[in-house]
Amino acid sequence: MPATVRLIDDVRPEESDHDFLPGMRRAWLMPWYDLTARLRGVHRLYRRTVEIAGITAGQHVLDVGCGTGNLSREVLRATPDAVVTGLDPDGDSLRRAARKLRRRRSGDVTLIRGFAHRLPVPDASQDHVVSSLALHHVPLAEKQQLAAELVRVLRPGGLVTIADFAGDHAGDHAAGHGRGHRHGGEGHQPGHGPGSTAYDADNADGGIEKLLTAAGLEDARALERMPLLGDSVVFVQARRA
C-alpha cells in the first residue's frame, strides 16, 4: 500500500511576505538539491540524525525545515510506523518531498508549508522533533521563537535532535549550504533577500545548546561531530522535562 502523504498550506496572510533562505540559497537551484546532496554524501547525515534520535514505532515526529523530505524519508526507512510531520516554508520543495515519499510502500506523512517560529502542531503532541541543516538558515530571533515552540509541542520526556553546522569554521558549503557573509543572526543587513546570508555563526561556542537550554529544555548537549562539505556538523540533543 502506498504511503499516505498530505500537503497543507499553513502560511497566514500576515506571513505571506516572510523571507526564508532556500536549501540551495536560491530558489532556482532547488531542482538540483537532491542530486547535489547525494553526490556530496549528505545522506549519511540524515542516517546519523535518525540513529541518534532513536525513534520507535508509532511515535510522532516533527521534521523542522524538511525541505525535499530526505530526513523524513530516513525516519520512515528506519521506523516505518512513525507518524511524521514535515515543516518547510518552500512550497516547491514540499511538492518534491511529497512525490518522493509517495513512492514508499508505507508511511503516514503530513507536509506543511509554514515557518519555524510557529510550529503547526498541538501542544505536547510530538515524541521527537528533528532537524538537519536548517537552523543556520534562520535568524537568531526566530531561532529563539522556535526553541520556545519546541517546549510547547514536545511531550514530557520528548527529545529534539538537531544536526547543523557548528559555526566555527570559515569557508563555503556545497549543496547550497554556503555561509555567504559570516555574522551572528541579527546582523542580517536590510535589503538582503533570501539566499544572501546564513546564520550559522549563531551556532558557534555551543550556541545550539545555549539556545535550547534558555528555552527551558533539559540536558542540552552536543553528542558528536561529523565532517561534511568541508566543514563540521554538530549533533545536539535536548529533552523536555
Side-chain angles (χ1 to χ4, degrees), residues 93-107:
S93 290
L94 290 177
R95 285 185 282 275
R96 292 187 185 95
R99 289 194 294 270
K100 184 187 306 180
L101 291 165
R102 284 179 180 134
R103 292 196 291 266
R104 292 189 49 80
R105 292 185 180 179
S106 63

Side-chain angles (χ1 to χ4, degrees), residues 117-240:
H117 65 267
R118 184 177 61 82
L119 300 179
V121 293
D123 296 358
S125 63
Q126 304 299 305
D127 300 290
H128 292 265
V129 177
V130 295
S131 182
S132 64
L133 301 185
L135 196 65
H136 72 282
H137 285 197
V138 180
L140 180 58
E142 291 185 32
K143 286 186 177 80
Q144 293 166 340
Q145 291 174 304
L146 167 61
E149 281 284 271
L150 294 175
V151 177
R152 179 183 68 80
V153 305
L154 281 168
R155 292 174 176 158
L159 295 173
V160 55
T161 304
I162 294 173
D164 202 41
F165 292 112
D168 50 11
H169 292 141
D172 293 332
H173 308 311
H177 296 287
R179 279 188 170 79
H181 308 289
R182 280 182 56 81
H183 52 69
E186 297 301 321
H188 189 109
Q189 298 176 19
H192 284 189
S196 62
T197 55
Y199 302 96
D200 55 338
D202 296 335
N203 298 347
D205 301 319
I208 301 175
E209 301 96 291
K210 294 172 185 175
L211 177 78
L212 300 178
T213 299
L217 293 165
E218 295 189 345
D219 196 26
R221 52 182 173 156
L223 299 178
E224 60 185 71
R225 288 196 178 207
M226 171 186 288
L228 186 74
L229 304 174
D231 211 318
S232 178
V233 167
V234 62
F235 295 87
V236 176
Q237 193 168 74
R239 180 184 303 274
R240 183 190 165 185

Side-chain angles (χ1 to χ4, degrees), residues 3-191:
T4 300
V5 181
R6 293 167 293 275
L7 269 170
I8 298 172
D9 194 324
D10 192 55
V11 174
R12 295 173 177 172
E14 64 270 21
E15 297 171 333
S16 60
D17 61 351
H18 189 88
D19 279 353
F20 66 91
L21 187 64
M24 289 285 281
R25 302 187 67 221
R26 290 174 176 82
W28 64 271
L29 290 170
M30 284 306 295
W32 290 275
Y33 182 91
D34 285 337
L35 175 61
T36 305
R38 190 177 307 115
L39 292 174
R40 299 306 299 267
V42 180
H43 285 73
R44 63 194 178 96
L45 171 73
Y46 306 134
R47 287 193 297 271
R48 188 60 187 141
T49 303
V50 172
E51 289 170 356
I52 289 172
I55 298 156
T56 58
Q59 291 192 318
H60 288 247
V61 182
L62 175 62
D63 179 3
V64 176
C66 66
T68 61
N70 292 315
L71 182 58
S72 292
R73 183 173 61 175
E74 195 62 39
V75 169
L76 290 169
R77 181 176 290 133
T79 315
D81 293 331
V83 179
V84 177
T85 301
L87 174 70
D88 201 90
D90 188 343
D92 288 338
S93 290
L94 290 177
R95 285 185 282 275
R96 292 187 185 95
R99 289 194 294 270
K100 184 187 306 180
L101 291 165
R102 284 179 180 134
R103 292 196 291 266
R104 292 189 49 80
R105 292 185 180 179
S106 63
D108 187 343
V109 186
T110 301
L111 299 174
I112 303 177
R113 180 172 172 254
F115 297 97
H117 65 267
R118 184 177 61 82
L119 300 179
V121 293
D123 296 358
S125 63
Q126 304 299 305
D127 300 290
H128 292 265
V129 177
V130 295
S131 182
S132 64
L133 301 185
L135 196 65
H136 72 282
H137 285 197
V138 180
L140 180 58
E142 291 185 32
K143 286 186 177 80
Q144 293 166 340
Q145 291 174 304
L146 167 61
E149 281 284 271
L150 294 175
V151 177
R152 179 183 68 80
V153 305
L154 281 168
R155 292 174 176 158
L159 295 173
V160 55
T161 304
I162 294 173
D164 202 41
F165 292 112
D168 50 11
H169 292 141
D172 293 332
H173 308 311
H177 296 287
R179 279 188 170 79
H181 308 289
R182 280 182 56 81
H183 52 69
E186 297 301 321
H188 189 109
Q189 298 176 19

